[in-house]
Amino acid sequence: MSFGQGGPSWGPGESGTPDWSAMADQSAARTRRKRWLMIGGGALATAAVAAIVATAVIKTNKDDTGASGGKNASQLPSATELPSQTAEPEPSFSAVQPPPPPDPKDYISDVKKDRAPISADAFFPGKQLKMGDRVYAKGATNRTTKCAATTKGALGSILVNNGCDQVIRATYSRSGVAVTIGLAVFETEAQAKKAAEQSSGSIAPLSGSGVPAFCNPGSVCRRTANSYGRYTYFAVSGFTNGKSVTKADKNAFTVGNDLTDFTFRQIRHRGEVQASAAATAPTT
């Protein structure tokens, strides 16, 4: 069947059929034009937004930063408005150093400074002595300027030759063990130290006031000698039943150690009291 001259024309294709290839090329060309239009429009929109943001940032910097002369810069004080110094005075310190505190040992090392009263009760007060959980009953006490009369053996002449001024004795007892402390007083520390180094013989045991005689002839007792400041202190300890002291008798050693430790503390305390009084005394 054929169409007349007034019928539709499909173009130059053969047999009167449409030219599909040409139609596809035209469609592709239209699609490409739309795509470029969209890309170009997007780029323009992005550039516009960037310009707006840049303008806002520049405006903000002008308003907020002190370097751009904004409103915050006007709130900061200028260099000439800052205070150059405070009204409070600067602290001052004296160039004179205060004297060191008195040494307590100085007050028990020389008779010229050691002016506190000397008596048996000053060094051995009360009726008993507590050392930790151990309690010692106080016996007889004695004070004399006849130093040799308080000794046995060679100790008497040692005390006299070194210038002994007086001797105080006190006896304590506990659990069948008694100890007598003999405190010899000298004018200087050097004299007391020499007497302790030359020590021989012993201080004589002092009985009475509830303590029987001990360290009688024929029994062995423990003897010690020490010095501190201008004081030399001797101890003789033994059993009240006449038994000899051996190295295995720890109780006898404990009693002697406790009483010598107590005597040392009393001498040192004497120095501390006098040094404290000197430190707090008003200056003239």
Side-chain angles (χ1 to χ4, degrees):
M1 175 176 162
S2 62
F3 294 94
Q5 293 180 353
S9 174
W10 301 101
E14 298 178 356
S15 305
T17 60
D19 190 348
W20 302 108
S21 178
M23 295 175 66
D25 291 340
Q26 294 174 0
S27 177
R30 287 193 299 269
T31 300
R32 284 195 297 271
R33 285 195 299 271
K34 291 181 178 180
R35 185 180 300 146
W36 282 112
L37 288 173
M38 293 178 65
I39 293 174
L44 291 174
T46 301
V49 172
I52 294 173
V53 172
T55 302
V57 170
I58 293 173
K59 181 176 179 59
T60 300
N61 288 339
K62 289 183 178 180
D63 290 342
D64 295 339
T65 60
S68 301
K71 61 182 180 180
N72 288 346
S74 63
Q75 295 176 356
L76 296 175
S78 63
T80 57
E81 294 176 352
L82 294 175
S84 59
Q85 61 182 4
T86 60
E88 297 180 358
E90 295 183 357
S92 59
F93 302 93
S94 174
V96 180
Q97 296 294 330
D103 185 355
K105 192 176 180 182
D106 289 345
Y107 289 83
I108 53 171
S109 297
D110 194 308
V111 67
K112 296 178 180 179
K113 285 188 174 182
D114 188 12
R115 309 303 297 172
I118 294 177
S119 67
D121 287 337
F123 285 95
F124 307 103
K127 295 181 178 180
Q128 63 181 18
L129 171 64
K130 292 183 179 181
M131 297 290 287
D133 59 350
R134 299 176 295 278
V135 180
Y136 297 95
K138 182 180 176 182
T141 61
N142 174 264
R143 175 175 176 264
T144 180
T145 57
K146 298 179 180 181
C147 298
T150 64
T151 65
K152 284 186 175 183
L155 185 59
S157 60
I158 292 172
L159 295 182
V160 173
N161 292 338
N162 283 290
C164 176
D165 178 66
Q166 58 183 301
V167 174
I168 297 173
R169 287 185 294 169
T171 298
Y172 292 84
S173 65
R174 177 180 179 269
S175 302
V177 179
V179 58
T180 294
I181 293 290
L183 182 66
V185 185
F186 299 85
E187 288 189 358
T188 67
E189 180 182 15
Q191 292 173 320
K193 186 176 181 180
K194 189 174 181 180
E197 291 172 348
Q198 296 176 349
S199 176
S200 180
S202 70
I203 200 76
L206 181 64
S207 59
S209 299
V211 180
F214 62 101
C215 292
N216 296 320
S219 63
V220 178
C221 291
R222 185 187 181 219
R223 298 171 299 175
T224 62
N226 299 276
S227 69
Y228 189 69
R230 70 187 189 106
Y231 299 89
T232 303
Y233 50 104
F234 307 90
V236 55
S237 53
F239 291 101
T240 55
N241 61 5
K243 175 185 173 181
S244 293
V245 177
T246 67
K247 292 182 179 179
D249 295 319
K250 294 182 179 180
N251 189 33
F253 280 75
T254 298
V255 173
N257 292 340
D258 280 351
L259 266 298
T260 54
D261 287 348
F262 172 74
T263 304
F264 166 75
R265 294 177 187 178
Q266 289 294 92
I267 299 172
R268 184 178 62 184
H269 179 67
R270 178 183 178 89
E272 292 171 346
V273 171
Q274 294 183 90
S276 177
T280 58
T283 58
T284 57

